[in-house]
Amino acid sequence: MISFETALQFFIVNSSLCLIPCAEMIIVITQSSTQGWKAGMTFVAGTCLALTVQVMLMAFGVSAIIQTSEWIFNGLKIVGVCYLFFLAWQMFSRPIALTTQGVQPFKSRATLFREGMVLNFSTPMTPLFLLFLIPSFIDTERGNIMLQSYQLGGVIILAILSMYTAYCIAADRAGALILQSERFRGYLQRGAASTIAGFAIYLAL
């Protein structure tokens, strides 16, 4: 079982990663600002359901890898740390513009839920992200590896759900103007990048 400290650290890392502009963020902001926060949350629900399935499948893989080879496990942890450094550098050096142009604003709840699932399943970076990041926070001395993988996966889902709920509410009330502010997002991204880099250094040490 993971410790509270590990869970908190993992939650902060994943919350910071949610500040990187992406397709999910654009859709959530667009639907929440045009159809209300419930529409945005419908899309988020589909995304989280798909992520839950991938976490359950990935837990078996991570557990098998760790129990099979300590070298592969350590290699995944090193890759995970390098991946965090890469994400931090990317956020520092190349802020991604957030645009809602070309996004269909009005969709049914069923369509939004389905699109959230499909988009998450079809993103090749999702399983790689889980494979590289989860082992970095697993402690083999704390017992059941699969249980730790499930718990860390749950923390990921909780972080995404928390951050995107905030996006939905903010976009609904502010019409996405605040989140589309380049200066505001610049502050958020630099803060998130510093947090991610800090945890990468912590894990490396």
Side-chain angles (χ1 to χ4, degrees), residues 53-112:
V53 175
Q54 295 198 64
V55 165
M56 294 179 66
L57 294 175
M58 192 57 60
F60 286 101
V62 170
S63 177
I65 288 173
I66 294 175
Q67 295 177 10
T68 300
S69 173
E70 184 177 351
W71 286 97
I72 296 178
F73 174 51
N74 290 331
L76 286 176
K77 296 185 74 171
I78 293 173
V79 172
V81 171
C82 294
Y83 183 57
L84 287 178
F85 274 124
F86 169 75
L87 290 175
W89 172 81
Q90 192 174 47
M91 293 178 73
F92 266 126
S93 61
R94 293 188 302 169
I96 305 173
L98 180 63
T99 176
T100 58
Q101 293 181 354
V103 179
Q104 182 183 348
F106 294 98
K107 298 178 181 179
S108 67
R109 298 291 171 83
T111 299
L112 286 170

Side-chain angles (χ1 to χ4, degrees), residues 170-186:
D172 184 10
R173 296 185 178 181
L177 292 177
I178 295 178
L179 294 176
Q180 288 180 339
S181 168
E182 184 176 350
R183 176 177 296 182
F184 180 73
R185 286 187 293 104

Side-chain angles (χ1 to χ4, degrees), residues 15-180:
S15 296
S16 299
L17 292 174
C18 287
L19 295 173
I20 301 177
C22 59
E24 287 91 345
M25 180 189 292
I26 293 173
I27 295 174
V28 166
I29 292 175
T30 301
Q31 301 304 327
S32 298
S33 61
T34 57
Q35 293 183 254
W37 66 271
K38 291 183 179 180
M41 286 303 300
T42 302
F43 178 85
V44 173
T47 299
C48 289
L49 178 59
L51 184 59
T52 300
V53 175
Q54 295 198 64
V55 165
M56 294 179 66
L57 294 175
M58 192 57 60
F60 286 101
V62 170
S63 177
I65 288 173
I66 294 175
Q67 295 177 10
T68 300
S69 173
E70 184 177 351
W71 286 97
I72 296 178
F73 174 51
N74 290 331
L76 286 176
K77 296 185 74 171
I78 293 173
V79 172
V81 171
C82 294
Y83 183 57
L84 287 178
F85 274 124
F86 169 75
L87 290 175
W89 172 81
Q90 192 174 47
M91 293 178 73
F92 266 126
S93 61
R94 293 188 302 169
I96 305 173
L98 180 63
T99 176
T100 58
Q101 293 181 354
V103 179
Q104 182 183 348
F106 294 98
K107 298 178 181 179
S108 67
R109 298 291 171 83
T111 299
L112 286 170
F113 185 83
R114 182 175 62 252
E115 287 188 355
M117 291 186 60
V118 171
L119 185 58
N120 189 267
F121 276 130
S122 62
T123 303
M125 289 304 297
T126 301
L128 291 176
F129 169 80
L130 295 174
L131 181 62
F132 292 152
L133 195 60
I134 287 180
S136 299
F137 287 82
I138 286 179
D139 185 353
T140 55
E141 296 182 357
R142 294 192 67 88
N144 195 309
I145 303 299
M146 188 174 296
L147 177 60
Q148 290 187 59
S149 299
Y150 282 138
Q151 291 173 333
L152 291 170
V155 173
I156 293 176
I157 295 170
L158 180 61
I160 291 175
L161 187 60
S162 300
M163 292 298 293
Y164 277 84
T165 297
Y167 286 148
C168 289
I169 295 175
D172 184 10
R173 296 185 178 181
L177 292 177
I178 295 178
L179 294 176
Q180 288 180 339

